Amino acid sequence: MARIIVVTSGKGGVGKTTTSAAIAMGLAKRGHKTAVIDFDVGLRNLDLIMGCERRVVYDFINVINGEAGLNQALIKDKNCNMLYILPASQTRDKDALSQEGVGKVLEELSREFKYIICDSPAGIEKGAHLAMYYADDAFVVTNPEVSSVRDSDRMLGILASKSKRAEENREPIKEYLLLARYSPERVKLGEMLSVNDVQEILSLHLLGVIPESKSVLNASNSGIPVILDEKSDAGQAYADIVARYLGENKPHRFIEDKKGFFGKLFGGK
Amino acid sequence: MSLLDYFKTSRPSSAAQAKERLQILVAHERVSHNQPLYLPQLQKELLEVIQKYVQVDKDAISVSFEQDGNQETLELNIVMPDDSTKRF
Ligand SMILES: Nc1ncnc2c1ncn2[C@@H]1O[C@H](COP(=O)(O)OP(=O)(O)OP(=O)(O)O)[C@@H](O)[C@H]1O
Ligand SMILES: [Mg+2]
């Protein structure tokens, strides 16, 4: 049986697709057969971040409608043979997704794969709802910013009440906080919510902090998940997150401001 | 305390304001989102029934819903008018 992870947020543009690509690659690189699904029907982007946009023939909707088999639609990643991508449809809209159809695809994938990552669209409508409905774990991607934190809290309420697990009165979805686009320097200056602030407000288990990093744009420019840029801070942050998710004990990094002469001079620590 | 912190203590930072605003907002929204959708209708109908027997006005009745783990509590509060006791 596979473990189904939804990468969700409520608010748009906080780093869900970046995270989905990185986490999926990280799990696959460690030898776990992993599939990553783009639920953003009509606005597919995961294919670009994974660098497989020119190999898309069939998509998620085609599989749901029985127009193609899963084996025809799944794209094997070029960097890792344990990783497969199921792209979203670019021409259809969210209504093409049905709860039953999504359930069937996930069930079939569950027989083959160890982890299934669902890259949720923004919002709390159908696409986002179906991305989380069957999940076992939720990675709640949040930026240290008021509207993102508020939307994450809203999403937590939905995860707790509208999932299959909730409806069947089973153990609830396990929720994890991934705080993305973090700038320790700005936190120190009192210009940005700190990781402790966000944790206090959301009372969530922190899986990791991903710093604001130039390497993310570089990675998306070249269509290679940032986790493969092992020298980059964001790449390392995602590698840590995968390790922690798999139960390893990794101390948190990228929380303290380490750079700058003035930072050291005035910062105390 | 570092030198930088010393200069900052004069007014609350924007991050501190953000935190405070979020704490208030989130606490409020958690309560209202968890309420069942039937609550306003229930309140309206209960009021109609009560008004058949007692002269109360609209804000004299409040219905609140609370969830604590697996336990859900529906609390109904009616403020009786001062002269209502005369009938009993
Ligand atoms: N840690 C980071 N540092 C710098 N930029 C980042 C970081 N994470 C994400 N970004 C940038 O933020 C933008 C949005 O990222 P992404 O597409 O992953 O968000 P999303 O949540 O999937 O958006 P949507 O809600 O539209 O699906 C991108 O331009 C991405 O490069
Ligand atoms: Mg996205």
Side-chain angles (χ1 to χ4, degrees):
Chain A
M1 264 312 263
R3 193 93 188 154
I4 301 175
I5 304 171
V6 62
V7 179
T8 188
S9 69
K11 188 170 159 65
V14 297
K16 294 180 292 295
T17 301
T18 304
T19 299
S20 299
I23 299 298
M25 178 62 79
L27 288 167
K29 276 270 166 192
R30 281 165 164 263
H32 303 294
K33 202 169 175 195
T34 301
V36 56
I37 308 177
D38 191 345
F39 273 78
D40 210 341
V41 177
L43 288 171
R44 99 170 154 227
N45 272 324
L46 182 69
D47 55 337
L48 270 176
I49 303 302
M50 301 293 306
C52 66
E53 70 278 6
R54 295 175 61 181
R55 290 195 287 147
V56 177
V57 183
Y58 295 109
D59 59 53
F60 194 13
I61 303 296
N62 292 138
V63 178
I64 288 178
N65 291 344
E67 295 150 5
L70 255 180
N71 51 345
Q72 293 172 287
L74 283 171
I75 303 170
K76 190 190 232 173
D77 185 78
K78 57 178 190 257
N79 294 301
C80 179
N81 63 7
M82 297 298 266
L83 179 58
Y84 289 78
I85 301 117
L86 183 56
S89 168
Q90 183 69 326
T91 50
R92 309 291 290 270
D93 65 28
K94 290 191 237 323
D95 293 328
L97 289 173
S98 67
Q99 183 156 311
E100 197 198 351
V102 171
K104 270 195 192 147
V105 172
L106 289 175
E107 198 186 304
E108 198 180 333
L109 285 170
S110 288
R111 285 185 231 125
E112 279 265 340
F113 290 89
K114 181 82 189 292
Y115 292 103
I116 301 170
I117 316 294
C118 302
D119 179 17
S120 176
I124 51 173
E125 279 156 43
K126 195 167 182 185
H129 174 78
L130 288 176
M132 57 67 79
Y133 184 73
Y134 294 97
D136 301 303
D137 299 315
F139 288 6
V140 181
V141 182
T142 307
N143 292 166
E145 176 268 323
V146 284
S147 51
S148 174
V149 175
R150 176 202 217 167
D151 288 0
S152 291
D153 192 67
R154 184 74 207 280
M155 189 47 77
L156 290 173
I158 293 170
L159 288 168
S161 60
K162 305 258 162 69
S163 68
K164 186 160 193 275
R165 282 174 171 267
E167 283 176 7
E168 292 174 353
N169 260 318
R170 283 156 62 211
E171 197 186 319
I173 294 177
K174 272 213 182 87
E175 302 155 341
Y176 300 91
L177 173 64
L178 279 75
L179 193 58
R181 311 200 67 162
Y182 197 70
S183 297
E185 316 88 77
R186 304 201 67 186
V187 171
K188 182 167 259 175
L189 291 169
E191 296 174 354
M192 184 182 268
L193 289 164
S194 73
V195 57
N196 288 333
D197 293 341
V198 178
Q199 259 190 291
E200 204 179 305
I201 294 160
L202 296 177
S203 14
L204 264 189
H205 176 76
L206 179 71
L207 199 56
V209 170
I210 306 110
E212 172 75 26
S213 170
K214 290 182 179 155
S215 60
V216 174
L217 184 57
N218 287 334
S220 74
N221 283 340
S222 39
I224 299 168
V226 70
I227 197 169
L228 293 180
D229 184 356
E230 289 166 16
K231 290 202 191 73
S232 70
D233 47 1
Q236 291 174 12
Y238 279 119
D240 282 4
I241 285 170
V242 170
R244 285 188 204 108
Y245 176 70
L246 293 173
E248 289 169 34
N249 188 9
K250 290 251 175 198
H252 285 286
R253 295 194 274 171
F254 313 109
I255 292 179
E256 300 289 335
D257 182 17
K258 288 220 178 72
K259 49 186 161 189
F261 169 72
F262 279 96
K264 284 203 184 95
L265 189 65
F266 291 111
K269 269 197 212 167
Chain B
M1 192 197 259
S2 73
L3 200 52
L4 203 62
D5 292 334
Y6 177 78
F7 287 119
K8 282 192 323 208
T9 44
S10 47
R11 63 190 157 85
S13 67
S14 69
Q17 293 173 36
K19 184 182 181 187
E20 198 191 321
R21 290 170 61 214
L22 274 170
Q23 278 173 324
I24 295 166
L25 184 70
V26 159
H28 178 78
E29 288 183 341
R30 274 183 198 161
V31 174
S32 58
H33 287 307
N34 284 338
Q35 292 192 340
L37 294 169
Y38 60 73
L39 217 59
Q41 186 66 22
L42 174 71
Q43 173 153 351
K44 183 169 162 277
E45 287 178 25
L46 279 172
L47 182 69
E48 283 164 11
V49 173
I50 291 163
Q51 281 177 333
K52 278 193 199 165
Y53 303 94
V54 193
Q55 288 255 296
V56 293
D57 55 54
K58 250 182 35 219
D59 356 309
I61 167 169
S62 72
V63 181
S64 70
F65 178 85
E66 259 173 56
Q67 201 167 21
D68 189 12
N70 275 336
Q71 185 152 323
E72 294 171 350
T73 327
L74 196 61
E75 194 181 283
L76 174 63
N77 227 312
I78 307 159
V79 183
M80 299 295 271
D82 287 342
D83 56 355
S84 69
T85 45
K86 286 181 196 150
R87 290 188 218 172
F88 299 99

